[in-house]
């Protein structure tokens, strides 16, 4: 399984990165499967550096704040108005129950048909696994001021060097503060892609919105995650501060996500 950071800027696009979007790929059934975790504003353009949009197998949305979902509107245009015709089935989209209506409203469409002609919408059920190709995706409700917000646990079974199948786990926090659901989602994850939008001494008194680097480190330690990759840092954050905060609570492999970089899991 491979993770490519398409966009990782927190809350809005920055000069070096779009907002949240992560491309996950894995091999199965003789082909490469490609899924997206979030499709935040600014990410659709950058995504095309790594793949043809017709290769998207599904989109999985953590929640419905614009920096995590708004470029679904652009994808709608790419599908619906391609002069050559899309030529493929509707793209499956998993997200909160309000996803289809929220996207239609954002684009100024009537709710019926909205974007249903282009996307096959599915609603998350907390802790209910979704299977697609080699991927098993399980949403865990987390603590963030949105109607529904989820961390996503992605599992893929792949053969190791000896040809024996092993399960690899990537957990994506979405947006959240510290909570038990996040710890469960990240339990013993091979890679924990975790937001750290806030900083100690500046935002640490704000609860129920975002993690600081320190709180992200605490969550990774509690979950016994093997690697921690901090993401969703706004442009005003110093990544070195976030790293230092996380290191004070987490002793495993630690880095900050950078747009354009890929990681093998």
């Amino acid at each position: 399984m491979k993770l490519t950071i398409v966009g990782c800027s927190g809350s809005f696009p920055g000069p070096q990165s779009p907002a949240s979007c992560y491309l996950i790929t894995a091999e199965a059934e003789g082909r490469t499967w490609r899924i997206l975790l979030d499709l935040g504003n600014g990410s659709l353009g950058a995504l095309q550096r790594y793949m043809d949009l017709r290769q998207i197998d599904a989109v999985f949305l953590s929640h419905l704040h614009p920096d995590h979902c708004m470029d679904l509107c652009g994808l709608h245009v790419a599908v619906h108005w391609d002069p050559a015709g899309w030529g493929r089935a509707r793209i499956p989209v998993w997200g909160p129950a309000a996803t289809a209506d929220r996207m239609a409203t954002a684009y100024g469409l009537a709710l019926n048909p909205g974007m249903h002609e282009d996307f096959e919408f599915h609603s998350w059920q907390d802790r209910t696994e979704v299977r697609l190709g080699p991927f098993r995706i399980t949403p865990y409700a987390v603590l963030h001021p949105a109607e529904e917000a989820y961390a996503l646990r992605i599992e893929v079974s792949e053969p190791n060097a000896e040809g024996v199948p092993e399960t690899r786990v990537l957990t994506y926090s979405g947006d959240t503060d510290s909570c038990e659901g996040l710890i469960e989602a990240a339990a013993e994850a091979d890679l924990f892609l975790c937001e750290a939008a806030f900083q100690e001494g500046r935002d640490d008194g704000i609860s129920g919105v975002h993690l600081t680097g320190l709180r992200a480190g605490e969550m990774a330690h509690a979950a016994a995650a093997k690697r921690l990759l901090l993401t969703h840092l706004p442009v005003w954050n110093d990544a070195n501060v976030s790293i230092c905060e996380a290191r004070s609570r987490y002793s495993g492999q630690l880095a900050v996500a950078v747009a354009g970089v890929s990681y093998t899991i």
Side-chain angles (χ1 to χ4, degrees):
M1 178 164 50
K2 184 170 81 170
L3 161 68
T4 298
I5 310 297
V6 179
C8 56
S9 183
S11 301
F12 59 93
Q16 305 299 326
S17 173
S20 297
C21 182
Y22 307 94
L23 169 62
I24 315 297
T25 60
E27 303 295 323
E29 302 171 11
R31 72 174 183 91
T32 302
W33 290 75
R34 299 171 175 87
I35 63 172
L36 302 177
L37 308 182
D38 285 343
L39 195 56
N41 42 342
S43 64
L44 188 66
L47 176 63
Q48 293 170 78
R49 300 172 190 163
Y50 309 106
M51 62 181 294
D52 187 303
L53 297 180
R54 288 180 176 80
Q55 296 174 317
I56 298 172
D57 287 299
V59 179
F60 297 90
L61 301 178
S62 63
H63 66 292
L64 296 181
H65 284 160
D67 58 317
H68 293 261
C69 70
M70 196 50 64
D71 270 21
L72 202 66
C73 289
L75 185 57
H76 151 73
V77 174
V79 174
H80 200 85
W81 297 106
D82 188 331
W86 183 245
R88 295 200 61 185
R90 293 182 298 161
I91 299 174
V93 176
W94 272 266
T99 300
D101 288 356
R102 183 73 59 82
M103 292 297 99
T105 299
Y107 202 76
L109 300 173
L111 300 186
N112 186 15
M115 297 182 184
H116 289 278
E117 295 173 333
D118 310 306
F119 303 129
E120 181 184 316
F121 290 102
H122 304 271
S123 297
W124 291 125
Q125 301 297 321
D126 187 29
R127 292 173 169 77
T128 299
E129 180 183 274
V130 171
R131 292 184 175 239
L132 182 77
F135 301 105
R136 302 190 302 277
I137 304 99
T138 306
Y140 289 78
V142 291
L143 183 60
H144 189 62
E147 294 166 5
E148 295 178 53
Y150 297 95
L152 304 177
R153 182 180 178 92
I154 298 90
E155 299 174 272
V156 172
S157 294
E158 297 177 310
N160 60 19
E162 289 74 39
V164 178
E166 289 185 351
T167 298
R168 302 296 183 189
V169 178
L170 162 67
T171 295
Y172 170 47
S173 68
D175 281 2
T176 181
D177 201 347
S178 303
C179 62
E180 286 301 316
L182 182 60
I183 296 172
E184 292 179 43
E188 299 184 342
D190 294 287
L191 192 150
F192 184 18
L193 179 64
C194 186
E195 71 114 300
F198 282 172
Q199 287 189 349
E200 295 292 313
R202 185 190 71 193
D203 314 299
D204 49 300
I206 303 171
S207 62
V209 182
H210 289 295
L211 296 162
T212 62
L214 184 147
R215 296 201 294 248
E218 289 176 341
M219 293 293 95
H221 175 77
K226 297 168 187 170
R227 296 165 65 188
L228 174 60
L229 186 61
L230 301 178
T231 192
H232 199 270
L233 275 63
V235 296
W236 48 68
N237 277 23
D238 182 337
N240 292 316
V241 171
S242 300
I243 284 284
C244 289
E245 288 182 6
R247 179 55 74 204
S248 72
R249 295 295 189 271
Y250 177 73
S251 60
Q253 295 183 46
L254 173 63
V256 170
V258 176
V261 176
S262 295
Y263 302 83
T264 299
I265 303 162

